[in-house]
């Protein structure tokens, strides 16, 4: 390898509990998974040139990037968004992208690509700064006003742990995943909607906050003061989900896995009924997983409208899907 050779890998993530809370500064508990996006190549003068194992068309982007959202092929927008955010600090690279993260399954393949690209292009800074840059890159690339959960989990992952993230302060508290439990992920269906429904939820939460103030500070009594029934349900999901994240964390630390599993099921019901980000197929998959002896609990995970179910199971329990373990966050390897 020449001295300019680079090899970067960034894991995917699954969220154990705390969905649709990050963009209101709430609590989340995601963990990295042992599937990675890898960029291998070299730093060069000139343009970014990347081929991808999972895509037909290679990417060629001249620096500086002006309009990341207009880049073709579209997978390259995530890389271009990162380059645009890095400005003059972005080095050109030539190389290959490969991934073992299922694409479009709700396991943050796009966030992993952003984080890997930023490190490949020469980003230097803290995991938090890396995540903030990649979140802005995602906004530029896809127009989806995502929160920081995915990028921060991928940038800051700790082997053997989920991360309790306070999305208001960006503080990170690793929560050990003990050996007697296993996290399973089952892919159920491709997401049915683009970012539009996600953006609507972000707007609805902002509308609720305009009435009662920050949802991260609110309690259920305050939520009841919202007159509009739809906004009240959206706010109730966020406020109760924040509490479930706290309770789930306490249960995991106490080894109270039955309690933790119930909290996952209640989280799913809240996403289904109050936040309306599930689908009948996802609901059926959660119910089927939860009915298996040895499964403590299950829920949809991530943005919703399809994607994956995550389960917490007694070690050794056969279930559909695959067992995942939390790994270290993204790294520049060479
Ligand atoms: C997507 C977004 C995250 C988060 C989840 C829902 O994964 O990228 O920021 O909002 O949905 O919890």
């Amino acid at each position: 390898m020449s001295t300019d050779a680079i090899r970067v890998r960034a894991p995917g993530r699954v969220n154990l509990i705390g969905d649709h809370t990050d963009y209101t500064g709430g609590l989340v508990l995601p963990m990295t998974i042992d599937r990675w996006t890898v960029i291998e190549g070299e730093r060069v003068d000139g343009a970014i040139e990347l081929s991808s194992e999972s895509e037909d068309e290679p990417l060629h982007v001249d620096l500086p990037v002006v309009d990341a959202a207009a880049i073709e092929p579209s997978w390259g927008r995530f890389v271009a968004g990162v380059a645009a955010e890095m400005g003059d600090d972005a080095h050109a690279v030539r190389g290959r992208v490969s991934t073992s993260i299922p694409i479009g399954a709700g396991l943050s393949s796009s966030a992993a690509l952003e984080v890997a690209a930023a490190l490949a292009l020469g980003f230097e800074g803290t995991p938090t700064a890396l995540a903030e840059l990649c979140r802005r890159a995602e906004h530029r690339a896809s127009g989806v006003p995502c929160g920081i959960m995915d990028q921060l989990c991928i940038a800051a992952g700790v082997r053997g742990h989920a991360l309790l993230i306070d999305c208001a302060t960006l503080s990170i508290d690793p929560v050990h995943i003990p050996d007697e439990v296993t996290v399973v992920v089952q892919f159920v269906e491709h997401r049915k909607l683009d970012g539009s429904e996600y953006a609507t939820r972000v707007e609805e939460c902002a509308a609720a906050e305009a009435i009662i103030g920050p949802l991260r500070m609110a309690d259920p009594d305050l939520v009841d003061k919202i007159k509009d029934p739809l906004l009240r349900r959206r706010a109730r999901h966020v406020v109760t989900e924040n509490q479930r994240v706290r309770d789930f964390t306490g249960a995991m630390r106490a080894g109270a896995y039955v309690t933790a599993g119930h909290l996952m099921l209640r989280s799913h019901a809240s996403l289904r009924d109050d936040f309306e980000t599930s689908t009948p197929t996802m609901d059926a998959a959660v119910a089927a997983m939860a009915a298996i002896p040895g499964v403590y609990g299950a829920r949809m995970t991530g943005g919703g409208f399809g994607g994956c179910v995550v389960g917490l199971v007694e070690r050794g329990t056969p279930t559909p899907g695959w067992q995942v373990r939390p790994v270290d966050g993204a790294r520049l390897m060479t």
Side-chain angles (χ1 to χ4, degrees):
M1 277 192 179
S2 79
T3 49
D4 291 332
I6 45 159
R7 183 168 193 275
V8 174
R9 69 176 199 177
R13 73 93 188 93
V14 64
N15 191 20
L16 297 180
I17 196 160
D19 270 315
H20 289 279
T21 52
D22 60 350
Y23 49 79
T24 53
L27 300 175
V28 295
L29 189 69
M31 65 176 226
T32 49
I33 60 174
D34 49 340
R35 299 211 161 203
W36 293 267
T37 290
V38 175
I39 300 180
E40 286 172 292
E42 56 191 344
R43 298 236 168 90
V44 292
D45 292 327
I48 297 173
E49 290 178 67
L50 290 171
S51 58
S52 167
E53 257 183 11
S54 14
E55 305 286 344
D56 294 336
E57 264 189 77
L59 173 68
H60 177 112
V61 195
D62 291 316
L63 295 174
V65 173
V66 181
D67 184 3
I71 294 291
E72 296 290 349
S74 58
W75 69 269
R77 292 174 193 168
F78 301 106
V79 177
V82 165
E85 283 296 331
M86 289 176 67
D88 291 344
D89 293 336
H91 293 277
V93 293
R94 185 191 304 134
R96 294 159 303 285
V97 182
S98 57
T99 192
S100 54
I101 306 169
I103 294 169
L107 297 174
S108 291
S109 56
S110 62
L113 178 56
E114 290 151 13
V115 173
L119 293 173
L121 269 54
F123 174 87
E124 288 178 8
T126 63
T128 304
L130 172 60
E132 287 178 312
L133 182 138
C134 291
R135 179 192 184 192
R136 295 194 301 270
E138 170 89 33
H139 292 188
R140 271 184 195 258
S142 69
V144 177
C146 67
I148 192 124
M149 168 170 75
D150 306 342
Q151 291 83 2
L152 189 50
C153 177
I154 289 166
V158 179
R159 191 158 69 99
H161 295 72
L163 302 182
L164 173 61
I165 302 172
D166 179 333
C167 297
T169 62
L170 303 187
S171 72
I172 298 173
D173 182 7
V175 177
H176 183 235
I177 304 296
D179 284 344
E180 65 252 38
V181 291
T182 303
V183 175
V184 297
V185 173
Q186 180 191 7
F187 174 65
V188 177
E189 59 178 339
H190 279 288
R191 279 171 292 174
K192 293 236 172 65
L193 299 171
D194 59 18
S196 61
E197 198 71 21
Y198 183 95
T200 304
R201 294 297 180 280
V202 174
E203 285 165 15
E204 289 164 348
C205 287
E209 293 197 315
I211 301 166
I212 60 166
L215 291 177
R216 67 174 181 278
M217 317 282 287
D219 61 20
D221 288 345
L222 189 58
V223 168
D224 282 343
K225 295 199 174 14
I226 300 175
K227 293 208 173 59
D228 180 294
L230 185 130
L231 294 186
R232 189 164 64 235
R233 284 192 285 123
R234 302 296 191 248
R236 186 167 59 203
H237 164 71
V238 174
V239 169
T240 58
E241 185 79 346
N242 284 334
Q243 187 57 44
R244 281 186 290 270
V245 175
R246 288 188 198 96
D247 294 345
F248 182 94
T249 301
M252 289 299 285
R253 285 180 165 155
Y257 308 124
V258 172
T259 303
H262 284 152
L263 288 161
M264 292 175 84
L265 290 169
R266 278 167 44 202
S267 167
H268 182 80
S270 180
L271 288 161
R272 180 192 62 209
D273 301 335
D274 279 348
F275 220 67
E276 295 180 280
T277 50
S278 189
T279 67
T281 309
M282 299 295 286
D283 298 341
V286 167
M289 170 105 60
I292 298 170
V295 173
Y296 295 113
R299 57 187 287 282
M300 55 148 277
T301 182
F305 309 106
C308 286
V309 166
V310 61
L312 182 72
V313 315
E314 190 180 338
R315 185 172 158 192
T317 304
T319 65
W322 66 91
Q323 305 186 350
V324 290
R325 46 187 190 87
V327 296
D328 280 327
R331 293 280 180 282
L332 183 62
M333 324 280 286
T334 47

